[in-house]
Amino acid sequence: MRAASSPVADAVALACRIAADADERSVHFAIRRAVFCREQRMFGGRDDRDARDADAATLHAVGFERGVPGGTVRLYPLSDGGQGLWQGDRLAVLPAFRHGSLGGSLVRFAVRTAGERGGERMVAMIQLANVRFFLGLGWSLDGDVVEFHGRAHQPMAIALSAGG
């Protein structure tokens, strides 16, 4: 029987951070490939990396549950110096980690991190199956559904604050 969790225990069990080294970046990319390329068969099933991944301003985050990497998110400023508009994308959570709140923790981490770096607003392209999840995290619809990487996506946005 599983012990009941508490907010304190859950906070200790989940951790999100910017990839600390080359090994964590490799894990970040491996999780993205597993979710987007193998599971969802996007990006021709090969690799989802693009020019943003090589940009020094791009932040690659990894989410851990009980010390085990289970999810990722990528974020970057869309305007010079990290001010103003930020993009969040490539949110990926491995199937074994979708039972808890790792995905929400990664989204909140991205929002907080962009806000702490001077961002005022974050935008993202959300697969339709995940729109309700993002609405529950405080995001708003930001335009009409569009085709993005071969799938229907809903543009969404959230206001950022310096305090996260």
Side-chain angles (χ1 to χ4, degrees):
M1 180 177 203
R2 185 171 180 245
S5 64
S6 70
V8 173
D10 289 343
V12 173
L14 299 175
C16 300
R17 66 176 180 251
I18 302 303
D21 55 29
D23 288 340
E24 284 189 2
R25 271 181 67 99
S26 292
V27 167
H28 172 96
F29 292 127
I31 291 171
R32 285 175 28 187
R33 265 192 316 280
V35 172
F36 294 118
C37 300
R38 288 194 297 272
E39 179 185 340
Q40 297 182 6
R41 304 205 188 286
M42 294 176 70
F43 304 100
R46 294 181 308 273
D47 195 358
D48 73 316
R49 291 192 213 189
D50 60 21
R52 284 283 180 197
D53 290 308
D55 188 327
T58 299
L59 304 176
H60 298 88
V62 181
F64 299 83
E65 183 175 305
R66 302 195 189 291
V68 179
T72 66
V73 67
R74 177 175 81 167
L75 59 148
Y76 47 88
L78 290 174
S79 53
D80 293 335
Q83 300 298 311
L85 189 61
W86 279 68
Q87 175 83 36
D89 65 18
R90 301 300 203 272
L91 174 67
V93 178
L94 295 171
F97 296 86
R98 293 180 189 155
H99 63 277
S101 59
L102 185 58
S105 294
L106 281 159
V107 173
R108 286 187 293 275
F109 174 81
V111 167
R112 183 176 63 253
T113 300
E116 289 170 350
R117 293 173 184 241
E120 296 173 6
R121 185 172 184 256
M122 179 175 270
V123 295
M125 299 296 285
I126 308 303
Q127 291 186 36
L128 298 185
N130 299 319
V131 168
R132 182 174 297 173
F133 169 73
F134 274 81
L135 289 170
L137 291 171
W139 288 66
S140 301
L141 303 181
D142 192 37
D144 295 331
V145 172
V146 297
E147 192 79 8
F148 187 68
H149 294 297
R151 302 256 169 106
H153 281 70
Q154 172 65 59
M156 296 188 79
I158 192 167
L160 305 175
S161 66

